[in-house]
Amino acid sequence: MKAIYRFALMLTVLAFTFAACEKPDDPINGDNGNITAKEREIIYSVGNNESHRTLTAEAEWDAMLELFCNHALAGEEVTFYNTSQTTYLHSNAKENRTINTTDRNEIKAWMKAMEKEGRTVRITYDDNTGTWHGEAYATAPTESTSDILIGTWHFKCMVVTHVGTDGNLIGSDLYEPDAGGGTMYYTFTDDGTVTMTMHGIDGTTATDSSTWTLSADGVLCSELMPNGGCWNVNWATPSTMIISRSDIGTENGDIHYQLQFEAVTDAK
């Protein structure tokens, strides 16, 4: 009976909370079928300061990487992630990557390569040795996520990207609960319980509770998430959380999901 109720609640979420749906800009397919990026949505932090920036040209991206290097040279830790799933078809590789180099051009080229794979990138600079250190990961380290996760999160949006069986991008859909007049919140507690609260556009409120787990490699699992299953935590700060998962090799191709949350003190 509990499973039936949860399924019915999710249908309510789809019918009421996700009433608004629009197509975000998709990449342009070139003559050879390759994808040419149109836009990047970069979320980044310098020290404890988090920012967002939309980039529409490679020159802007190059300039931003130079800025990141300057911040690192000043002794600050820089972390960034491209939230636009349609910039590139991101790799599903889970292994972390690292680099140590004294060459500024090499660290910039490495950051570009890691961004293309859909990884979160962190760089620092050691002034004593003149060495750049970079880390790139598909899931945020558990030790930096577990404490941040506890609390209430506003479910801001979901992006669903569909890649056909031929490997070409079909398109993406953007679902924003607030745009349709509904809101959703997830509250994670340190006893392993998660509660979803949904306010529908018809004025109704529904809640459901289940459990959550965070694996040693930073994968968040809960059956209360849209589509259920387990999600890579790509970005986790005290103000923003971004998670993603993929259904690979379905009869209709690959489907990539990305959820974005913002931290709140209290749900409405």
Side-chain angles (χ1 to χ4, degrees):
M1 184 64 68
K2 182 70 171 179
I4 294 175
Y5 169 72
R6 179 167 292 127
F7 180 72
L9 179 59
M10 281 305 182
L11 288 181
T12 302
V13 169
L14 291 175
F16 292 103
T17 308
F18 289 158
C21 174
E22 62 182 62
K23 293 277 188 178
D25 288 339
D26 289 335
I28 299 173
N29 288 319
D31 294 336
N32 58 359
N34 292 328
I35 291 176
T36 302
K38 290 181 66 177
E39 185 174 282
R40 287 178 175 86
E41 296 287 346
I42 303 295
I43 183 171
Y44 64 98
S45 63
V46 178
N48 294 323
N49 299 317
E50 181 178 292
S51 302
H52 301 252
R53 187 172 173 187
T54 299
L55 307 176
T56 58
E58 284 299 310
E60 292 178 327
W61 181 223
D62 289 336
M64 193 165 198
L65 292 176
E66 287 286 356
L67 182 62
F68 289 161
C69 288
N70 290 340
H71 282 301
L73 278 172
E76 297 171 306
E77 180 180 278
V78 179
T79 307
F80 69 86
Y81 175 68
N82 180 8
T83 67
S84 176
Q85 289 197 326
T86 58
T87 301
Y88 301 101
L89 301 185
H90 289 172
S91 167
N92 292 304
K94 291 292 186 66
E95 71 276 5
N96 294 340
R97 306 282 182 82
T98 60
I99 186 175
N100 289 290
T101 179
T102 58
D103 189 327
R104 180 170 176 139
N105 288 329
E106 184 178 5
I107 192 68
K108 287 192 297 181
W110 182 83
M111 285 191 286
K112 277 191 171 184
M114 295 300 99
E115 180 264 342
K116 286 183 179 181
E117 293 187 6
R119 299 176 185 275
T120 303
V121 179
R122 178 185 294 127
I123 66 164
T124 56
Y125 180 78
D126 187 337
D127 191 50
N128 293 322
T129 62
T131 302
W132 305 89
H133 175 67
E135 303 172 55
Y137 48 83
T139 56
T142 301
E143 60 270 18
S144 65
T145 304
S146 55
D147 291 339
I148 291 174
L149 183 63
I150 304 303
T152 298
W153 295 86
H154 171 212
F155 182 15
K156 188 175 181 181
C157 67
M158 175 170 70
V159 178
V160 182
T161 303
H162 187 191
V163 180
T165 55
D166 58 0
N168 287 323
L169 179 67
I170 295 176
S172 293
D173 291 309
L174 172 65
Y175 300 89
E176 296 180 286
D178 292 4
T183 54
M184 286 183 67
Y185 298 90
Y186 284 83
T187 299
F188 296 86
T189 59
D190 55 12
D191 65 357
T193 300
V194 56
T195 299
M196 181 188 70
T197 303
M198 188 273 289
H199 304 280
I201 61 176
D202 61 348
T204 61
T205 297
T207 62
D208 194 10
S209 296
S210 185
T211 59
W212 66 273
T213 60
L214 186 66
S215 69
D217 57 354
V219 176
L220 175 65
C221 297
S222 176
E223 61 182 353
L224 276 190
M225 293 296 176
N227 292 35
C230 296
W231 297 73
N232 296 328
V233 180
N234 305 111
W235 185 270
T237 67
S239 58
T240 307
M241 180 167 62
I242 301 172
I243 63 178
S244 64
R245 66 181 293 268
S246 300
D247 291 335
I248 302 299
T250 73
E251 62 179 10
N252 296 316
D254 301 338
I255 303 175
H256 304 277
Y257 304 90
Q258 180 177 268
L259 311 182
Q260 294 191 37
F261 301 84
E262 57 186 8
V264 295
T265 303
D266 296 300
K268 294 180 182 178

